[in-house]
Amino acid sequence: MAATRSLPRIRKRISIRGVVQGVGFRPFVYNLAQSLELAGFILNSSSGVTVEIEGPDGAIEQFLQTLRTSPPPLAQIMEIALEEVSLQNASEFSIQPSREEENAFAFVSPDVAACDDCWHEFGDPANRRYGYPFTNCTNCGPRYTIIQDIPYDRLTTTMASFRMCELCQAEYEDPKDRRFHAQPNACPACGPSLVLVESRQHNRDAHLPAAADFRATQRSSLATVQRARDLLHVGRLVAVKGLGGFLLACDAQNDAAVRQLRQRKRRSDKPFAIMARDLAEVEKFCTVTAADRIALESPRRPIMILERRPESNLSRSIAPGNDSIGVMLPYTPLHYLLFSDSPTESSQFAALVMTSGNLSEEPIVISNEEAWQQLEPVADWFLFHNRDIYMRADDSVVRTFDGRERVLRRSRGYVPQAIDLGAPMQDLLACGAELKHTFCLTKDHYAILSQHIGDLENYETLCFFQETLANLKKLFRAKPQAVAYDLHPNYRSTQFALSLPLERKIGVQHHHAHIASCMAENHLQGKVIGVAFDGTGYGTDGKIWGGEFLVADLETFERRAHLRYLPLPGGDAAVRQPWRMALSYLRDAFGAGRLPAGSQLLQHVPEKQIAIVDAMIARRIHSIETSSSGRLFDAVAALVGLGSEVTFEGQAAIALESAAQPGVEDRYTFHVEDVEPMQLDVRPMIEAIVRDLTRGTPVGLISARFHNTVVAAIVEVCQRIRQQEQLTRVCLSGGVFQNMYLLKRTVKDLDKDGFQVFLHALAPPNDGGISLGQAAIANAILRREQE
Ligand SMILES: [Zn+2]
Ligand SMILES: [Zn+2]
């Protein structure tokens, strides 16, 4: 100490922005300052953390160096501002109370999976947290889902009602402890607890547990989970309250249980996600690459889309007609305990189905009361806890491509992490689209993308949108000056935007937003070729677009090519019944008269229905024109006999992709008509597919040839645009590019041809990414106006 004291001293103020609250930053800085014998203080502010540090120049340099190169694992430093201030001859380093500043905002951490240290503690019979499902520390645990306001302190979370016991309080106050200022800190003596209740379906005397019931089970969580495990083991369906909402669980190898869950949840063939105990189990069911492994085990713990091993003995009802499966690892101690008491003990099952606790398309259920009412027809048992969930968040869904994680549904573990856009933004709200809805707020250089809200097709989902908007505006101190919205007049998000008391409202074309979203996350400026392939988007001509080639920058776009328009008989009915679109394509290619032999339509659809839809197409009744590529995939799937009816959009296309035979290189022909905009004409392909069907060509081969044709068409149209515009950058966006067969080949062939290809990674390629693109476009337009 004496030696450093004699050196000349300086004092610096360091303002740090990024995810620095609730991630163990203050104890880290405290310990670092202590070890370097530096004086000063640290405090949480509404914009991040402020540190003042005093001591010899060299030690301060070393302090800054460590801060930059090895911050705590969950911290994400986005900006560091330095300022020299006057010496105060301080002798100690201290942690000071949080400070609120006007209009400032901090980055709130997403929820984080249990860390290794906590993992060991709750699995260790000698530890006081043995078997405790709510074990957490500053390096892990709930965040976004329990935070009601900033600065992040226990009193502004749903943990406020739990009073820490003496042991927990001591940890909380000790800067050297892993639980120093761990706001959700808890133990079996003082924290949340579990109650297991049978559904009223089976037991009319069962009741929703009251506060006293939770107090009574305070110290017996382990026994409660064991009981739930036994129920799962014998095929029961259990609603489990988790981090961002309730999940419905059953044994993934018990086909009867899985089928029952599907039947009770009603309506949809949507794939269920599964949770496996550990990586070794996942590898028994699926092919896992090195990149997959990293994403699976990351503290975000998303659902990963993986290729299912054909020999796996999981119930086929988990993901009907799909050769991929969504898999995640346990992310809270509670999930882990559903498999076994400790890491050394064997599990009663290899994997559990874990699907969102909701009915059909309603938002995921979060409160015990909601679950008790809404999930009664589905669950046999309820595993409740008494830590309230403040923000709903579904599990996120990702896959890897080209060695990099790509988000398909961005929610728990990712939200509300800001996306750095690399350029200053106005304060905006972008209201998104309709399906897979998200919205986006912008501030400084950042986009704050909401969690996946769902399909805005019912009142409950609209409420979820509004409650999340209110919350994110509060957390980020956002006061949007303008709003961006989709051009579709019937989208609820559009109607909501138009009802806001804001002067400036900017309508954005759907596919322009897709491309701008891809540009924004890749920090692209200037013009690009944008290929936007999806199911539905409202065009500037009032038609339904979806097979679009744009030349776009962030302000404007030109539509340079698209799939030829065809009638969409019955609008939304054609989305649920892909055979209608198949008929539309057949009539387009072959004209009126007898349907060509070979097409599978007549085998799956009654002639009478075909006659009705035929008339609709011929007379253009309820048949708006569409250039949708999603509908082209539907049509081909129905033509070859895969899914003439579906329960969710994309289902037929997934079946078609799953059928594609690997290693096929040939393709069908197509034609590009050189008008403005260019017309992509696939009639020659439809004729050839029918010919192949007549010859009895295997569906897998037809599917591969079809995909190859779409790839070739994309490359050819891009080449023509490049010739006219000298553009080589191509952005691929839209839900159709979730098709891996299509994506892989398109990227490979464009790349081979000298194009520079940009894809999504941070925002979803589907409509979940639309709001980001809308924000980027509105921002560019407003900036231009201000110049
Ligand atoms: Zn931890
Ligand atoms: Zn305690």
Side-chain angles (χ1 to χ4, degrees), residues 263-313:
Q263 194 190 342
R264 290 192 197 165
K265 263 197 96 177
R266 283 198 302 254
R267 217 180 92 156
S268 164
D269 290 332
K270 276 187 182 169
F272 290 148
I274 65 166
M275 183 181 275
R277 179 164 103 148
D278 52 32
L279 195 59
E281 291 294 342
V282 178
E283 285 175 328
K284 287 183 198 160
F285 309 129
C286 306
T287 321
V288 185
T289 66
D292 294 337
R293 220 167 277 140
I294 291 168
L296 265 174
E297 293 194 304
S298 85
R300 302 165 179 282
R301 292 288 154 100
I303 296 170
M304 290 240 27
I305 307 291
L306 297 170
E307 211 175 300
R308 176 177 5 201
R309 289 187 192 279
E311 72 277 13
S312 94
N313 57 355

Short mmCIF file of all heavy atoms in Angstrom, two decimals, residues 263-313:
data_model
loop_
_atom_site.label_atom_id
_atom_site.label_comp_id
_atom_site.label_asym_id
_atom_site.label_seq_id
_atom_site.Cartn_x
_atom_site.Cartn_y
_atom_site.Cartn_z
N GLN A 263 -54.21 -33.58 -28.70
CA GLN A 263 -55.67 -33.57 -28.83
C GLN A 263 -56.29 -32.52 -27.90
O GLN A 263 -57.17 -31.77 -28.29
CB GLN A 263 -56.15 -34.96 -28.44
CG GLN A 263 -57.57 -35.27 -28.81
CD GLN A 263 -57.97 -36.59 -28.15
OE1 GLN A 263 -57.12 -37.39 -27.72
NE2 GLN A 263 -59.27 -36.81 -28.05
N ARG A 264 -55.78 -32.45 -26.67
CA ARG A 264 -56.37 -31.51 -25.72
C ARG A 264 -56.02 -30.06 -26.05
O ARG A 264 -56.79 -29.16 -25.76
CB ARG A 264 -55.90 -31.82 -24.30
CG ARG A 264 -56.48 -33.12 -23.74
CD ARG A 264 -56.21 -33.18 -22.26
NE ARG A 264 -56.38 -34.53 -21.74
CZ ARG A 264 -55.92 -34.90 -20.54
NH1 ARG A 264 -55.27 -34.04 -19.78
NH2 ARG A 264 -56.12 -36.11 -20.11
N LYS A 265 -54.84 -29.85 -26.62
CA LYS A 265 -54.48 -28.48 -26.97
C LYS A 265 -55.23 -27.99 -28.20
O LYS A 265 -55.28 -26.81 -28.48
CB LYS A 265 -52.95 -28.35 -27.22
CG LYS A 265 -52.21 -27.84 -26.01
CD LYS A 265 -50.83 -27.34 -26.38
CE LYS A 265 -50.80 -25.85 -26.60
NZ LYS A 265 -49.48 -25.30 -26.88
N ARG A 266 -55.77 -28.93 -28.95
CA ARG A 266 -56.64 -28.64 -30.09
C ARG A 266 -56.00 -27.96 -31.28
O ARG A 266 -54.99 -27.29 -31.17
CB ARG A 266 -57.85 -27.80 -29.63
CG ARG A 266 -58.88 -28.61 -28.92
CD ARG A 266 -60.18 -27.86 -28.90
NE ARG A 266 -60.04 -26.57 -28.25
CZ ARG A 266 -60.51 -26.29 -27.04
NH1 ARG A 266 -61.15 -27.22 -26.38
NH2 ARG A 266 -60.36 -25.10 -26.52
N ARG A 267 -56.64 -28.13 -32.40
CA ARG A 267 -56.47 -27.34 -33.60
C ARG A 267 -55.23 -27.60 -34.43
O ARG A 267 -55.30 -27.65 -35.64
CB ARG A 267 -56.53 -25.84 -33.27
CG ARG A 267 -57.24 -25.08 -34.37
CD ARG A 267 -57.29 -23.63 -34.06
NE ARG A 267 -56.16 -22.93 -34.62
CZ ARG A 267 -56.15 -21.65 -34.90
NH1 ARG A 267 -57.20 -20.92 -34.67
NH2 ARG A 267 -55.09 -21.09 -35.41
N SER A 268 -54.09 -27.72 -33.81
CA SER A 268 -52.90 -27.55 -34.63
C SER A 268 -51.99 -28.77 -34.67
O SER A 268 -51.91 -29.55 -33.73
CB SER A 268 -52.15 -26.35 -34.07
OG SER A 268 -50.87 -26.30 -34.52
N ASP A 269 -51.27 -28.93 -35.79
CA ASP A 269 -50.22 -29.94 -35.90
C ASP A 269 -48.86 -29.34 -35.64
O ASP A 269 -47.84 -29.92 -35.98
CB ASP A 269 -50.22 -30.55 -37.31
CG ASP A 269 -51.44 -31.41 -37.55
OD1 ASP A 269 -51.98 -31.96 -36.57
OD2 ASP A 269 -51.85 -31.53 -38.72
N LYS A 270 -48.84 -28.12 -35.08
CA LYS A 270 -47.56 -27.45 -34.84
C LYS A 270 -46.66 -28.34 -34.00
O LYS A 270 -47.10 -28.96 -33.04
CB LYS A 270 -47.78 -26.14 -34.08
CG LYS A 270 -48.15 -24.98 -34.99
CD LYS A 270 -48.18 -23.68 -34.22
CE LYS A 270 -48.60 -22.56 -35.16
NZ LYS A 270 -48.91 -21.32 -34.45
N PRO A 271 -45.37 -28.37 -34.36
CA PRO A 271 -44.45 -29.22 -33.60
C PRO A 271 -44.36 -28.80 -32.13
O PRO A 271 -44.46 -27.62 -31.82
CB PRO A 271 -43.11 -28.98 -34.29
CG PRO A 271 -43.38 -28.25 -35.54
CD PRO A 271 -44.72 -27.64 -35.44
N PHE A 272 -44.20 -29.80 -31.27
CA PHE A 272 -43.92 -29.53 -29.85
C PHE A 272 -42.40 -29.49 -29.68
O PHE A 272 -41.70 -30.24 -30.32
CB PHE A 272 -44.45 -30.67 -28.97
CG PHE A 272 -45.94 -30.75 -28.86
CD1 PHE A 272 -46.57 -31.99 -28.70
CD2 PHE A 272 -46.73 -29.60 -28.89
CE1 PHE A 272 -47.94 -32.08 -28.58
CE2 PHE A 272 -48.12 -29.69 -28.76
CZ PHE A 272 -48.73 -30.93 -28.61
N ALA A 273 -41.95 -28.65 -28.75
CA ALA A 273 -40.53 -28.68 -28.41
C ALA A 273 -40.33 -29.74 -27.33
O ALA A 273 -41.25 -30.07 -26.59
CB ALA A 273 -40.09 -27.32 -27.89
N ILE A 274 -39.11 -30.26 -27.26
CA ILE A 274 -38.80 -31.17 -26.15
C ILE A 274 -37.62 -30.63 -25.35
O ILE A 274 -36.85 -29.80 -25.84
CB ILE A 274 -38.48 -32.61 -26.63
CG1 ILE A 274 -37.22 -32.64 -27.48
CG2 ILE A 274 -39.66 -33.20 -27.39
CD1 ILE A 274 -36.70 -34.05 -27.67
N MET A 275 -37.56 -31.09 -24.11
CA MET A 275 -36.43 -30.73 -23.26
C MET A 275 -35.73 -32.03 -22.89
O MET A 275 -36.39 -32.97 -22.42
CB MET A 275 -36.92 -30.02 -22.00
CG MET A 275 -35.81 -29.54 -21.09
SD MET A 275 -36.49 -28.72 -19.62
CE MET A 275 -36.72 -27.06 -20.23
N ALA A 276 -34.43 -32.10 -23.16
CA ALA A 276 -33.66 -33.28 -22.80
C ALA A 276 -32.81 -32.94 -21.60
O ALA A 276 -32.46 -31.78 -21.39
CB ALA A 276 -32.79 -33.72 -23.96
N ARG A 277 -32.48 -33.95 -20.80
CA ARG A 277 -31.75 -33.65 -19.58
C ARG A 277 -30.39 -33.05 -19.83
O ARG A 277 -29.99 -32.10 -19.18
CB ARG A 277 -31.59 -34.93 -18.75
CG ARG A 277 -30.82 -34.66 -17.48
CD ARG A 277 -30.99 -35.77 -16.49
NE ARG A 277 -29.82 -36.62 -16.46
CZ ARG A 277 -29.43 -37.24 -15.36
NH1 ARG A 277 -30.10 -37.09 -14.24
NH2 ARG A 277 -28.38 -38.01 -15.38
N ASP A 278 -29.66 -33.58 -20.79
CA ASP A 278 -28.33 -33.05 -21.07
C ASP A 278 -27.96 -33.30 -22.53
O ASP A 278 -28.71 -33.93 -23.27
CB ASP A 278 -27.29 -33.65 -20.12
CG ASP A 278 -27.36 -35.17 -20.10
OD1 ASP A 278 -27.69 -35.76 -21.15
OD2 ASP A 278 -27.10 -35.78 -19.05
N LEU A 279 -26.80 -32.81 -22.88
CA LEU A 279 -26.35 -32.89 -24.27
C LEU A 279 -26.26 -34.33 -24.77
O LEU A 279 -26.62 -34.63 -25.91
CB LEU A 279 -24.99 -32.20 -24.38
CG LEU A 279 -24.52 -31.86 -25.77
CD1 LEU A 279 -25.50 -30.93 -26.46
CD2 LEU A 279 -23.15 -31.22 -25.70
N ALA A 280 -25.81 -35.23 -23.89
CA ALA A 280 -25.66 -36.63 -24.29
C ALA A 280 -27.01 -37.20 -24.73
O ALA A 280 -27.09 -37.94 -25.71
CB ALA A 280 -25.09 -37.44 -23.13
N GLU A 281 -28.08 -36.83 -24.04
CA GLU A 281 -29.42 -37.28 -24.41
C GLU A 281 -29.82 -36.69 -25.76
O GLU A 281 -30.38 -37.38 -26.61
CB GLU A 281 -30.45 -36.90 -23.34
CG GLU A 281 -30.32 -37.66 -22.03
CD GLU A 281 -30.61 -39.16 -22.16
OE1 GLU A 281 -31.24 -39.57 -23.16
OE2 GLU A 281 -30.18 -39.91 -21.26
N VAL A 282 -29.54 -35.39 -25.94
CA VAL A 282 -29.90 -34.74 -27.20
C VAL A 282 -29.24 -35.48 -28.36
O VAL A 282 -29.86 -35.71 -29.40
CB VAL A 282 -29.46 -33.25 -27.22
CG1 VAL A 282 -29.80 -32.60 -28.56
CG2 VAL A 282 -30.11 -32.48 -26.08
N GLU A 283 -27.99 -35.86 -28.17
CA GLU A 283 -27.25 -36.51 -29.24
C GLU A 283 -27.79 -37.90 -29.58
O GLU A 283 -27.54 -38.41 -30.66
CB GLU A 283 -25.75 -36.55 -28.90
CG GLU A 283 -25.16 -35.15 -29.09
CD GLU A 283 -23.71 -35.00 -28.67
OE1 GLU A 283 -23.30 -35.70 -27.72
OE2 GLU A 283 -23.01 -34.18 -29.29
N LYS A 284 -28.56 -38.47 -28.67
CA LYS A 284 -29.21 -39.75 -28.99
C LYS A 284 -30.36 -39.55 -29.97
O LYS A 284 -30.69 -40.43 -30.75
CB LYS A 284 -29.73 -40.41 -27.71
CG LYS A 284 -28.64 -40.98 -26.84
CD LYS A 284 -29.25 -41.67 -25.63
CE LYS A 284 -28.21 -41.87 -24.55
NZ LYS A 284 -28.84 -42.09 -23.24
N PHE A 285 -31.01 -38.38 -29.89
CA PHE A 285 -32.18 -38.15 -30.75
C PHE A 285 -31.85 -37.44 -32.05
O PHE A 285 -32.57 -37.53 -33.02
CB PHE A 285 -33.22 -37.26 -30.05
CG PHE A 285 -33.61 -37.71 -28.69
CD1 PHE A 285 -33.58 -36.82 -27.61
CD2 PHE A 285 -34.03 -39.01 -28.47
CE1 PHE A 285 -33.95 -37.24 -26.35
CE2 PHE A 285 -34.40 -39.43 -27.22
CZ PHE A 285 -34.36 -38.54 -26.15
N CYS A 286 -30.80 -36.61 -32.00
CA CYS A 286 -30.57 -35.67 -33.10
C CYS A 286 -29.11 -35.61 -33.50
O CYS A 286 -28.23 -35.96 -32.73
CB CYS A 286 -30.96 -34.26 -32.66
SG CYS A 286 -32.61 -34.12 -32.01
N THR A 287 -28.90 -35.11 -34.71
CA THR A 287 -27.55 -34.81 -35.16
C THR A 287 -27.20 -33.42 -34.64
O THR A 287 -27.95 -32.48 -34.85
CB THR A 287 -27.52 -34.77 -36.70
OG1 THR A 287 -28.36 -35.83 -37.18
CG2 THR A 287 -26.13 -34.91 -37.23
N VAL A 288 -26.07 -33.32 -33.94
CA VAL A 288 -25.70 -32.06 -33.30
C VAL A 288 -24.32 -31.63 -33.79
O VAL A 288 -23.35 -32.36 -33.61
CB VAL A 288 -25.68 -32.21 -31.76
CG1 VAL A 288 -25.42 -30.87 -31.09
CG2 VAL A 288 -26.99 -32.81 -31.25
N THR A 289 -24.23 -30.46 -34.41
CA THR A 289 -22.93 -29.96 -34.86
C THR A 289 -22.26 -29.18 -33.72
O THR A 289 -22.89 -28.90 -32.70
CB THR A 289 -23.07 -29.00 -36.06
OG1 THR A 289 -23.76 -27.82 -35.59
CG2 THR A 289 -23.86 -29.63 -37.19
N ALA A 290 -21.00 -28.80 -33.94
CA ALA A 290 -20.28 -28.04 -32.92
C ALA A 290 -20.99 -26.73 -32.63
O ALA A 290 -21.14 -26.32 -31.48
CB ALA A 290 -18.84 -27.79 -33.38
N ALA A 291 -21.47 -26.06 -33.69
CA ALA A 291 -22.17 -24.79 -33.50
C ALA A 291 -23.48 -24.99 -32.75
O ALA A 291 -23.87 -24.18 -31.90
CB ALA A 291 -22.43 -24.13 -34.84
N ASP A 292 -24.17 -26.09 -33.05
CA ASP A 292 -25.43 -26.40 -32.35
C ASP A 292 -25.16 -26.56 -30.85
O ASP A 292 -25.92 -26.09 -30.01
CB ASP A 292 -26.03 -27.72 -32.84
CG ASP A 292 -26.49 -27.65 -34.29
OD1 ASP A 292 -26.77 -26.54 -34.76
OD2 ASP A 292 -26.55 -28.71 -34.93
N ARG A 293 -24.06 -27.26 -30.56
CA ARG A 293 -23.72 -27.54 -29.16
C ARG A 293 -23.52 -26.23 -28.38
O ARG A 293 -24.03 -26.08 -27.28
CB ARG A 293 -22.41 -28.35 -29.16
CG ARG A 293 -22.38 -29.46 -28.16
CD ARG A 293 -21.22 -30.39 -28.44
NE ARG A 293 -21.54 -31.37 -29.46
CZ ARG A 293 -20.70 -31.76 -30.43
NH1 ARG A 293 -19.47 -31.27 -30.49
NH2 ARG A 293 -21.07 -32.65 -31.31
N ILE A 294 -22.83 -25.30 -29.01
CA ILE A 294 -22.58 -24.02 -28.34
C ILE A 294 -23.90 -23.30 -28.05
O ILE A 294 -24.13 -22.79 -26.96
CB ILE A 294 -21.64 -23.13 -29.19
CG1 ILE A 294 -20.24 -23.77 -29.20
CG2 ILE A 294 -21.58 -21.71 -28.67
CD1 ILE A 294 -19.30 -23.17 -30.23
N ALA A 295 -24.78 -23.28 -29.05
CA ALA A 295 -26.06 -22.58 -28.87
C ALA A 295 -26.93 -23.28 -27.83
O ALA A 295 -27.53 -22.64 -26.97
CB ALA A 295 -26.79 -22.50 -30.21
N LEU A 296 -26.95 -24.61 -27.89
CA LEU A 296 -27.77 -25.38 -26.94
C LEU A 296 -27.37 -25.11 -25.50
O LEU A 296 -28.22 -24.98 -24.63
CB LEU A 296 -27.57 -26.88 -27.19
CG LEU A 296 -28.54 -27.63 -28.08
CD1 LEU A 296 -28.02 -29.05 -28.28
CD2 LEU A 296 -29.94 -27.67 -27.49
N GLU A 297 -26.05 -25.06 -25.28
CA GLU A 297 -25.55 -24.93 -23.91
C GLU A 297 -25.33 -23.48 -23.49
O GLU A 297 -24.89 -23.22 -22.38
CB GLU A 297 -24.23 -25.71 -23.75
CG GLU A 297 -24.46 -27.22 -23.87
CD GLU A 297 -23.27 -28.03 -23.40
OE1 GLU A 297 -22.14 -27.82 -23.91
OE2 GLU A 297 -23.47 -28.87 -22.51
N SER A 298 -25.62 -22.52 -24.37
CA SER A 298 -25.41 -21.12 -24.01
C SER A 298 -26.37 -20.74 -22.89
O SER A 298 -27.39 -21.39 -22.70
CB SER A 298 -25.66 -20.23 -25.23
OG SER A 298 -27.05 -19.95 -25.34
N PRO A 299 -26.04 -19.68 -22.13
CA PRO A 299 -26.92 -19.28 -21.02
C PRO A 299 -28.31 -18.84 -21.49
O PRO A 299 -29.21 -18.68 -20.70
CB PRO A 299 -26.18 -18.10 -20.39
CG PRO A 299 -24.81 -18.10 -20.95
CD PRO A 299 -24.83 -18.86 -22.22
N ARG A 300 -28.49 -18.67 -22.80
CA ARG A 300 -29.81 -18.29 -23.32
C ARG A 300 -30.74 -19.49 -23.41
O ARG A 300 -31.94 -19.35 -23.43
CB ARG A 300 -29.67 -17.70 -24.72
CG ARG A 300 -28.77 -16.49 -24.82
CD ARG A 300 -28.46 -16.26 -26.29
NE ARG A 300 -27.62 -15.12 -26.56
CZ ARG A 300 -28.03 -13.86 -26.57
NH1 ARG A 300 -29.28 -13.59 -26.32
NH2 ARG A 300 -27.21 -12.89 -26.84
N ARG A 301 -30.15 -20.68 -23.57
CA ARG A 301 -30.88 -21.94 -23.63
C ARG A 301 -32.11 -21.90 -24.55
O ARG A 301 -33.24 -22.10 -24.10
CB ARG A 301 -31.34 -22.38 -22.23
CG ARG A 301 -30.23 -22.77 -21.30
CD ARG A 301 -29.62 -24.10 -21.71
NE ARG A 301 -28.25 -24.21 -21.25
CZ ARG A 301 -27.86 -24.87 -20.16
NH1 ARG A 301 -28.74 -25.49 -19.45
NH2 ARG A 301 -26.59 -24.91 -19.83
N PRO A 302 -31.89 -21.63 -25.83
CA PRO A 302 -33.03 -21.60 -26.74
C PRO A 302 -33.48 -23.01 -27.13
O PRO A 302 -32.77 -23.98 -26.87
CB PRO A 302 -32.45 -20.89 -27.97
CG PRO A 302 -31.01 -21.31 -27.96
CD PRO A 302 -30.61 -21.41 -26.50
N ILE A 303 -34.62 -23.09 -27.77
CA ILE A 303 -35.02 -24.30 -28.47
C ILE A 303 -34.23 -24.32 -29.77
O ILE A 303 -34.26 -23.35 -30.53
CB ILE A 303 -36.52 -24.29 -28.80
CG1 ILE A 303 -37.36 -24.29 -27.52
CG2 ILE A 303 -36.89 -25.45 -29.71
CD1 ILE A 303 -38.85 -24.04 -27.76
N MET A 304 -33.48 -25.41 -30.00
CA MET A 304 -32.72 -25.51 -31.25
C MET A 304 -33.43 -26.43 -32.20
O MET A 304 -33.84 -27.52 -31.83
CB MET A 304 -31.36 -26.14 -30.97
CG MET A 304 -30.44 -25.29 -30.19
SD MET A 304 -28.93 -24.92 -31.07
CE MET A 304 -29.26 -24.99 -32.75
N ILE A 305 -33.51 -26.01 -33.46
CA ILE A 305 -34.07 -26.90 -34.47
C ILE A 305 -32.95 -27.82 -34.94
O ILE A 305 -31.93 -27.36 -35.46
CB ILE A 305 -34.62 -26.11 -35.68
CG1 ILE A 305 -35.59 -25.03 -35.21
CG2 ILE A 305 -35.26 -27.04 -36.69
CD1 ILE A 305 -36.88 -25.54 -34.65
N LEU A 306 -33.14 -29.11 -34.72
CA LEU A 306 -32.11 -30.09 -35.07
C LEU A 306 -32.72 -31.19 -35.92
O LEU A 306 -33.92 -31.45 -35.85
CB LEU A 306 -31.52 -30.71 -33.80
CG LEU A 306 -30.79 -29.76 -32.85
CD1 LEU A 306 -30.49 -30.46 -31.53
CD2 LEU A 306 -29.51 -29.25 -33.49
N GLU A 307 -31.86 -31.84 -36.69
CA GLU A 307 -32.32 -32.95 -37.50
C GLU A 307 -32.53 -34.18 -36.62
O GLU A 307 -31.64 -34.56 -35.87
CB GLU A 307 -31.27 -33.25 -38.56
CG GLU A 307 -31.84 -33.79 -39.84
CD GLU A 307 -30.73 -33.93 -40.86
OE1 GLU A 307 -30.10 -32.91 -41.21
OE2 GLU A 307 -30.49 -35.08 -41.26
N ARG A 308 -33.70 -34.77 -36.73
CA ARG A 308 -34.02 -35.93 -35.89
C ARG A 308 -33.36 -37.18 -36.46
O ARG A 308 -33.38 -37.41 -37.65
CB ARG A 308 -35.55 -36.11 -35.88
CG ARG A 308 -35.94 -37.33 -35.13
CD ARG A 308 -37.39 -37.66 -34.92
NE ARG A 308 -38.42 -36.86 -35.53
CZ ARG A 308 -39.67 -36.85 -35.06
NH1 ARG A 308 -39.99 -37.55 -34.00
NH2 ARG A 308 -40.60 -36.16 -35.67
N ARG A 309 -32.78 -37.99 -35.60
CA ARG A 309 -32.25 -39.28 -36.06
C ARG A 309 -33.44 -40.19 -36.33
O ARG A 309 -34.32 -40.31 -35.46
CB ARG A 309 -31.38 -39.92 -34.98
CG ARG A 309 -30.06 -39.23 -34.75
CD ARG A 309 -29.20 -40.05 -33.79
NE ARG A 309 -28.06 -39.28 -33.33
CZ ARG A 309 -26.94 -39.12 -34.03
NH1 ARG A 309 -26.82 -39.71 -35.21
NH2 ARG A 309 -25.94 -38.40 -33.56
N PRO A 310 -33.45 -40.83 -37.48
CA PRO A 310 -34.61 -41.63 -37.84
C PRO A 310 -34.87 -42.75 -36.82
O PRO A 310 -36.01 -43.17 -36.62
CB PRO A 310 -34.26 -42.22 -39.21
CG PRO A 310 -32.95 -41.65 -39.62
CD PRO A 310 -32.40 -40.82 -38.51
N GLU A 311 -33.80 -43.23 -36.17
CA GLU A 311 -33.97 -44.37 -35.26
C GLU A 311 -34.42 -43.95 -33.86
O GLU A 311 -34.68 -44.79 -33.01
CB GLU A 311 -32.66 -45.18 -35.18
CG GLU A 311 -31.50 -44.51 -34.43
CD GLU A 311 -30.70 -43.51 -35.27
OE1 GLU A 311 -31.16 -43.13 -36.37
OE2 GLU A 311 -29.61 -43.09 -34.80
N SER A 312 -34.54 -42.64 -33.62
CA SER A 312 -34.86 -42.21 -32.25
C SER A 312 -36.25 -42.69 -31.86
O SER A 312 -37.15 -42.77 -32.68
CB SER A 312 -34.79 -40.69 -32.15
OG SER A 312 -36.07 -40.12 -32.36
N ASN A 313 -36.41 -43.02 -30.59
CA ASN A 313 -37.68 -43.59 -30.15
C ASN A 313 -38.61 -42.54 -29.52
O ASN A 313 -39.44 -42.85 -28.69
CB ASN A 313 -37.45 -44.74 -29.18
CG ASN A 313 -36.62 -44.29 -27.98
OD1 ASN A 313 -36.16 -43.15 -27.94
ND2 ASN A 313 -36.45 -45.16 -27.01
#
